[in-house]
Amino acid sequence: MEKIINLTLKVWRQNGSKAKGRFETYKVNNVSTDSSFLEMMDMLNEQLVSEDKVPVAFDHDCREGICGTCSLYINGRPHGPDDDVTTCQLHMRKFTDGQTITIEPWRSTAFPVIYDLMVDRRAFDKIISAGGYVSVNTGGVPDANAIPIAKADADESMDSASCIGCGACVAACKNGSAMLFVSAKVSQLAMLPQGRIEASRRAKAMVAKMDELGFGNCTNTGACEVECPKNISLSNIARLNREFLYAKFQD
Amino acid sequence: MSKINARTPEGPLAQKWTNYKDHQKLVNPSNKRKLDVIIIGTGLAGASAAASLGEMGFNVKNFCIQDSPRRAHSIAAQGGINAAKNYPNDGDSVFRLFYDTIKGGDYRSREANVHRLAEVSNSIIDQCVAQGVPFAREYGGLLDNRSFGGAQVSRTFYAKGQTGQQLLLGAYQALMRQVNLGTVTMYTRTELVEIVLVDGKARGIISRDLVTGELQRHFGHAVVLATGGYGNTFFLSTNAMGSNGSALIKAYQKGAMFANPCMAQIHPTCIPVHGESQSKLTLMSESLRNDGRIWVPKKKEDAEAIRSGKLKATQIAEENRDYYLERRYPAFGNLVPRDVASRAAKERCDAGFGVGATGLAVYLDFKSSIDRLGQKTIEDRYGNLFQMYEKIVDENPYETPMMIYPAMHYTMGGIWVDYELQTTIPGLFAAGEANFSDHGANRLGASALMQGLADGYFVLPYTLQNYLADEIHTKRMTTNEPEFVDAEKAVKERFAQLMGIKGKRSVDSLHKELGLVMWDFVGMGRNKKGLEDAIKKIAAIKKEFWTNVRIPGDQSGMNVELEKASRLADFIEIGDLMARDALNREESCGGHFREEYQTPEGEALRQDDKFAYVSCWEYKGEQQEPELHKEELIYETVKMVQRNYK
Ligand SMILES: Cc1cc2nc3c(=O)[nH]c(=O)nc-3n(C[C@H](O)[C@H](O)[C@H](O)COP(=O)(O)OP(=O)(O)OC[C@H]3O[C@@H](n4cnc5c(N)ncnc54)[C@H](O)[C@@H]3O)c2cc1C
Ligand code: SF4
Ligand code: FES
């Protein structure tokens, strides 16, 4: 049932990448528990505009859990207190009347803060750029049904491909490792015959780029899997390690 | 002949594209490197074009407003992508896909373009599979298909309920490979704010870095707009929050024609509005209509009891349910095209049979499919959609029927383009949802993804090359030319003007006001008086905006309110164009339903003798009425008949 709640927000404000950040406290009243978390943030911003203050900047776009843009660290958890959801899918029914909510950006060396709650995640694009693809050009490819693929493999590949590139795994990891993200792409492609051919080369190139960009090492804490909104499994990391070792072995 | 010339190639319909490709001009490899192509947008259309042109050796600059090209709105497409593969052996063919698309579009699209789309559809699937897109498969290892509205064959390829995501990631990865190889330069968090013409040709853009606020000038031998649709004119829509029509308005104000602006699609299956703070609407994929049955109570008193919370959907006996689509359209049932399904839902709700607290909802029920196929099968097909629904509405759709209602979803209208996807400005091209080209008055499900990728992978690489072949002698310009300097100055002044208003109203409050006018008067049911009122109301909102909007902060550096304000200013222009176009088009066709023009059964009534044309609107200056030009639609192959889904 819909309820109306009042909240206190402690929000990270930072006027640009070089500025020093700080927490600001705001009150937001009359929030419907049927609203989404970001709609509550809209209410806060509407209030700030009415006071002629600069609204809080945060990343968001699709608001349905698929684009991977939204990225808030809410009460100490990437994407907040609900399981298997992104920030934009989080609803206010997960909060209680009178609660104080702390809202921060992702915090990780490889994702510098740009402004308020926005961070720079271009490092992920650079990792994909280093090898996260099948090297085919447009045109001149075989018929789509020329290579049958076992349903189980296609389904498993699809599960790995569900990663939305949000970066919650990195934000959750005390080492700031991007292993879950990288392994999801490596696994998706390694499981399909089309991607199999370059599998080792791809694993090596992507891991090298990840290291170069300042992501930390994976020490198997598993925090990434817990916070991943798309249930990307740790088994992907095991597969990446296998591909990586195989690549080393070949050198 | 007027300014409108579609430049459709000669020859029989099925040979036009082959003929074109056989005779188009080519650019040799060493010259390709010297030619710069600017592509705005990294959705399916933009990313596939940028990757393909990069692979060919052109020097590509690619722009998007998100922090990564992978986040373009295309990522959200759920249901699937069409192709004429005929893998299920159910009688599909290129001609049938072409025919269904023309008919689905209610005979308001251009035959030659649609036939080309159907022709290249099969190559898209091949390409995506080669890239590693994990489409759904059958146990034998071959690709699986599902059905979508408006077709009697199964031709839709899908990747769970995340088809757009997987197709976009395929294109994005191809794009990032080119970035790595140095053929494409990527500009993220960068917005096009002006198009620069030199001697009447598109030669570049002015962009704004959304992080630093800095304006930049970029030269290109050609410019491609792949910036998506303008559905967010309605404020509430299924589009992503950042989807906008600004690039289209910039093009329009520079002389490109805006085609069929009133042709917009209201999608029948979206999660209903919950209240005032609602920021966007969530689509429940049309593929759900394969296994879900749509109904409302047969008795008004049951509907009332449901609305007041006294009765639950599951308590209504089978014989007291009205499966109104199956009743009205026995041949297509729940799979009628979107415009038909949306209007039917509105009709039932307006008549007092709607459910949910507001009465603006109908049921989409999976009970009989779960009984027939088992919960596991339904979960495999739609698991992520069901989860999404439950997170939003807090009800379990495996147990209680979903509630759905129509919402603004897609815009068939857009920048006018000829057969080569070139606008009326030489060197300016438009692709994907941004152009008007293939869907006429209504788009069939799973055809937007097909069109975006067709344009980017398989059309622009030929047609853009044909244009660029004549540009090999044009030297790269420095951006100190007066045209660039003046354009940047004009942009600066416009932003300064916006910042200088210092009024009282927030951008969102004005946008919501515009959205309500659009929904009430330019939405599912339109009429002369309402449209005339809408034009006046939109003018009033425009005045209020330009005198009373409030944008805190300043122009330099990040300013999200300024970004939104600048886009809203353009949405207001689009809203006006949509209303004008709807007023002009005195007929009902596809998604454009003029209440004055309907059959006795309430179906859309076209006026082929008067309106078998594309309306092309030409900008005449601020305070001037736009001028209407017409592209007559000549059907050589298909005979125009009244659509019949009974
Ligand atoms: C929820 C949902 C589900 C859908 N499901 C399906 C489906 O199952 N099947 C189907 O066929 N279709 C579906 N559609 C429709 C389809 O997704 C879109 O029509 C299609 O993806 C549009 O692709 P595009 O490349 O034209 O534009 P978009 O994907 O919208 O990309 C636009 C790009 O332009 C950029 N951009 C915009 N303005 C500017 C600017 N001023 N400066 C710089 N960059 C700019 C953006 O950053 C973005 O990169 C769905 C749509 C929605 C909303
Ligand atoms: S692995 Fe999960 S948490 Fe990490 S980027 Fe992908 S979806 Fe986000
Ligand atoms: S805004 Fe797209 S995933 Fe949250």
Side-chain angles (χ1 to χ4, degrees):
Chain A
M1 268 310 277
E2 183 188 0
K3 275 195 282 225
I4 300 298
I5 56 176
N6 298 333
L7 301 160
T8 303
L9 307 180
K10 280 179 66 190
V11 183
W12 184 260
R13 305 289 321 245
Q14 184 173 330
N15 192 8
S17 57
K18 300 209 174 65
K20 212 166 149 303
R22 68 202 181 276
F23 280 106
E24 293 273 350
T25 304
Y26 305 102
K27 296 245 182 257
V28 182
N29 294 337
N30 297 318
V31 179
S32 158
T33 49
D34 278 350
S35 305
S36 72
F37 193 85
L38 295 185
E39 284 167 353
M40 184 277 295
M41 295 294 287
D42 293 340
M43 288 174 72
L44 166 66
N45 279 345
E46 194 66 25
Q47 197 174 303
L48 290 173
V49 172
S50 75
E51 294 161 8
D52 217 0
K53 292 186 184 135
V54 176
V56 179
F58 58 91
D59 270 323
H60 64 102
D61 200 17
C62 74
R63 295 206 177 188
E64 48 188 67
I66 193 75
C67 71
T69 313
C70 61
S71 42
L72 298 181
Y73 198 79
I74 302 162
N75 285 345
R77 283 185 69 182
H79 295 308
D82 199 358
D83 290 330
D84 306 337
V85 294
T86 53
T87 303
C88 61
Q89 291 175 297
L90 177 65
H91 275 70
M92 296 314 293
R93 53 183 85 92
K94 293 283 158 192
F95 299 88
T96 51
D97 193 27
Q99 195 176 345
T100 298
I101 308 176
T102 308
I103 307 167
E104 296 170 78
W106 283 177
R107 301 218 188 255
S108 206
T109 324
F111 292 161
V113 174
I114 301 174
Y115 196 95
D116 289 350
L117 301 167
M118 289 176 168
V119 299
D120 182 352
R121 283 172 290 191
R122 276 178 296 182
F124 269 8
D125 291 330
K126 291 184 186 143
I127 294 176
I128 297 293
S129 192
Y133 38 74
V134 177
S135 301
V136 290
N137 285 355
T138 303
V141 299
D143 183 86
N145 258 350
I147 309 173
I149 301 174
K151 184 174 185 323
D153 291 342
D155 287 350
E156 212 185 326
S157 172
M158 177 64 222
D159 286 343
S160 302
S162 304
C163 164
I164 57 174
C166 63
C169 46
V170 178
C173 177
K174 68 180 168 61
N175 308 318
S177 168
M179 278 296 266
L180 196 61
F181 168 78
V182 173
S183 67
K185 188 49 68 189
V186 166
S187 301
Q188 175 210 336
L189 296 175
M191 269 178 291
L192 301 172
Q194 290 82 359
R196 187 65 238 160
I197 300 151
E198 295 171 276
S200 318
R201 194 174 78 137
R202 175 181 310 115
K204 223 171 85 177
M206 290 176 77
V207 169
K209 187 51 100 184
M210 170 177 81
D211 292 344
E212 177 195 318
L213 292 169
F215 290 98
N217 289 326
C218 173
T219 54
N220 291 314
T221 65
C224 52
E225 187 190 53
V226 175
E227 297 300 356
C228 172
K230 297 293 148 184
N231 278 316
I232 301 297
S233 141
L234 282 179
S235 64
N236 287 294
I237 298 188
R239 185 184 298 271
L240 167 61
N241 286 335
R242 276 203 304 281
E243 295 297 344
F244 187 71
L245 280 178
Y246 184 66
K248 283 273 181 219
F249 184 69
Q250 280 185 321
D251 285 348
Chain B
M1 196 49 202
S2 69
K3 295 178 178 174
I4 300 295
N5 180 358
R7 303 204 300 153
T8 304
E10 295 299 314
L13 185 62
Q15 257 108 64
K16 285 183 193 291
W17 182 230
T18 312
N19 286 349
Y20 178 89
K21 288 191 291 183
D22 287 347
H23 298 105
Q24 66 151 126
K25 286 169 268 180
L26 299 173
V27 181
N28 81 33
S30 66
N31 281 330
K32 281 186 185 140
R33 275 193 296 278
K34 296 182 200 146
L35 291 167
D36 299 345
V37 182
I38 290 179
I39 299 178
I40 314 296
T42 61
L44 287 176
S48 59
S52 304
L53 291 160
E55 288 160 8
M56 290 162 75
F58 291 104
N59 184 40
V60 179
K61 291 177 162 192
N62 192 193
F63 296 77
C64 70
I65 54 179
Q66 289 85 359
D67 69 330
S68 162
R70 67 179 288 154
R71 307 204 200 283
H73 164 60
S74 294
I75 199 95
Q78 301 170 349
I81 176 165
N82 288 331
K85 284 283 194 187
N86 192 30
Y87 286 155
N89 196 25
D90 54 3
D92 202 6
S93 65
V94 166
F95 184 82
R96 200 175 284 275
L97 174 55
F98 154 75
Y99 177 80
D100 285 350
T101 309
I102 291 275
K103 175 185 172 196
D106 218 354
Y107 308 93
R108 289 295 174 264
S109 43
R110 197 188 285 151
E111 273 190 340
N113 285 55
V114 177
H115 198 276
R116 174 178 65 191
L117 175 66
E119 279 174 67
V120 303
S121 67
N122 291 340
S123 306
I124 297 174
I125 304 303
D126 298 342
Q127 187 64 36
C128 296
V129 167
Q131 290 169 343
V133 169
F135 282 120
R137 288 179 183 265
E138 293 170 344
Y139 282 102
L142 301 182
L143 293 161
D144 190 20
N145 285 128
R146 56 167 56 144
S147 322
F148 250 59
Q152 286 170 313
V153 294
S154 246
R155 62 160 73 102
T156 305
F157 294 79
Y158 65 102
K160 274 203 173 159
Q162 293 143 255
T163 316
Q165 176 193 35
Q166 294 311 315
L167 297 176
L168 184 62
L169 291 181
Y172 157 77
Q173 286 160 205
L175 173 64
M176 294 320 283
R177 175 167 164 255
Q178 291 311 306
V179 170
N180 196 36
L181 294 170
T183 60
V184 179
T185 312
M186 204 53 240
Y187 297 84
T188 57
R189 294 198 197 260
T190 307
E191 180 159 358
L192 168 145
V193 286
E194 189 55 286
I195 297 165
V196 182
L197 307 192
V198 180
D199 297 333
K201 288 182 173 176
R203 287 294 185 210
I205 63 159
I206 306 293
S207 66
R208 181 169 184 270
D209 181 321
L210 299 179
V211 178
T212 62
E214 206 185 319
L215 297 179
Q216 301 150 338
R217 306 170 197 169
H218 298 275
F219 166 79
H221 290 87
V223 177
V224 180
L225 302 182
T227 54
Y230 49 90
N232 274 346
T233 309
F234 280 55
F235 186 74
L236 287 181
S237 85
T238 60
N239 292 8
M241 302 298 286
S243 294
N244 70 89
S246 288
L248 306 190
I249 285 296
K250 302 301 160 213
Y252 165 70
Q253 290 175 342
K254 287 281 176 197
M257 306 261 175
F258 207 125
N260 290 341
C262 82
M263 304 292 196
Q265 180 170 78
I266 311 268
H267 196 293
T269 54
C270 304
I271 300 180
V273 174
H274 69 72
E276 283 280 298
S277 66
Q278 185 100 30
S279 59
K280 77 153 278 173
L281 294 168
T282 303
L283 176 75
M284 289 284 106
S285 168
E286 169 168 292
S287 60
L288 292 170
R289 286 200 271 146
N290 267 305
D291 290 306
R293 299 176 67 198
I294 294 178
W295 64 275
V296 292
K298 229 177 229 168
K299 298 189 204 146
K300 257 192 200 158
E301 54 279 21
D302 284 352
E304 276 157 21
I306 287 175
R307 291 199 289 271
S308 58
K310 292 192 198 102
L311 208 59
K312 287 201 180 90
T314 43
Q315 292 167 320
I316 309 276
E318 199 53 39
E319 63 272 18
N320 291 328
R321 299 175 175 196
D322 176 15
Y323 295 93
Y324 57 86
L325 289 178
E326 297 169 29
R327 167 170 61 79
R328 283 178 67 178
Y329 308 99
F332 279 68
N334 292 294
L335 287 175
V336 291
R338 293 175 175 175
D339 54 330
V340 178
S342 290
R343 271 198 299 281
K346 176 173 161 27
E347 188 277 329
R348 282 294 80 190
C349 293
D350 288 352
F353 295 93
V355 296
T358 56
L360 292 177
V362 300
Y363 290 125
L364 177 61
D365 199 334
F366 294 89
K367 174 122 187 1
S368 44
S369 291
I370 293 176
D371 291 348
R372 187 163 42 91
L373 304 164
Q375 178 156 335
K376 173 82 177 65
T377 306
I378 297 298
E379 206 174 314
D380 280 352
R381 286 186 190 164
Y382 314 110
N384 67 322
L385 297 174
F386 277 47
Q387 187 227 24
M388 194 195 272
Y389 182 87
E390 187 169 356
K391 290 287 179 193
I392 294 174
V393 183
D394 209 21
E395 276 179 5
N396 179 350
Y398 294 102
E399 285 161 14
T400 27
M402 281 184 181
M403 278 188 290
I404 51 162
Y405 198 66
M408 179 64 208
H409 177 59
Y410 179 89
T411 49
M412 283 75 71
I415 289 297
W416 184 88
V417 289
D418 62 12
Y419 187 74
E420 296 188 291
L421 304 184
Q422 187 162 207
T423 69
T424 41
I425 300 175
L428 183 67
F429 293 73
E433 196 175 333
N435 73 27
F436 89 105
S437 82
D438 296 343
H439 307 293
N442 174 53
R443 172 177 71 79
L444 290 182
S447 285
L449 301 184
M450 170 171 73
Q451 184 225 332
L453 290 180
D455 289 358
Y457 285 135
F458 298 109
V459 179
L460 281 176
Y462 295 93
T463 61
L464 196 63
Q465 180 166 205
N466 189 48
Y467 173 80
L468 289 171
D470 292 333
E471 293 292 326
I472 51 176
H473 300 297
T474 310
K475 293 242 157 49
R476 267 186 193 125
M477 287 177 194
T478 79
T479 52
N480 296 326
E481 302 289 332
E483 287 85 352
F484 282 90
V485 177
D486 292 348
E488 184 183 317
K489 193 162 152 259
V491 170
K492 229 180 227 147
E493 280 164 10
R494 182 169 184 266
F495 281 121
Q497 188 187 352
L498 284 169
M499 293 305 302
I501 298 169
K502 296 193 186 306
K504 297 240 174 326
R505 300 277 306 271
S506 72
V507 177
D508 280 0
S509 74
L510 286 157
H511 199 165
K512 285 183 185 179
E513 201 175 313
L514 174 68
L516 279 180
V517 171
M518 299 306 292
W519 183 251
D520 287 345
F521 302 104
V522 200
M524 269 186 285
R526 305 163 169 179
N527 60 57
K528 183 165 189 286
K529 163 124 196 348
L531 290 164
E532 283 166 353
D533 283 353
I535 292 171
K536 288 191 202 119
K537 285 180 203 282
I538 295 167
I541 293 171
K542 178 170 177 176
K543 185 154 173 248
E544 175 76 354
F545 174 87
W546 285 101
T547 53
N548 200 19
V549 74
R550 170 184 286 179
I551 308 166
D554 53 62
Q555 197 178 329
S556 64
M558 163 124 15
N559 191 334
V560 179
E561 290 297 306
L562 178 59
E563 289 164 29
K564 289 195 319 198
S566 163
R567 292 175 203 152
L568 176 56
D570 298 328
F571 280 131
I572 294 172
E573 302 300 323
I574 295 179
D576 176 70
L577 271 178
M578 289 179 82
R580 273 176 205 282
D581 189 37
L583 182 62
N584 169 69
R585 192 168 279 277
E586 293 176 335
E587 65 164 349
S588 294
C589 56
H592 169 65
F593 194 73
R594 280 284 299 263
E595 284 153 2
E596 305 95 315
Y597 305 93
Q598 48 182 309
T599 65
E601 300 89 49
E603 305 297 338
L605 189 63
R606 293 197 322 266
Q607 305 279 332
D608 290 338
D609 52 334
K610 297 200 198 92
F611 291 97
Y613 64 77
V614 178
S615 353
C616 312
W617 296 91
E618 184 185 9
Y619 181 70
K620 287 289 179 186
E622 185 63 35
Q623 309 300 338
Q624 305 289 315
E625 304 229 331
E627 184 183 339
L628 176 67
H629 302 261
K630 298 173 185 174
E631 179 196 340
E632 299 298 335
L633 290 168
I634 300 151
Y635 280 77
E636 291 174 341
T637 307
V638 176
K639 198 169 152 294
M640 291 191 193
V641 290
Q642 202 208 322
R643 285 192 310 171
N644 181 2
Y645 292 97
K646 301 194 182 235

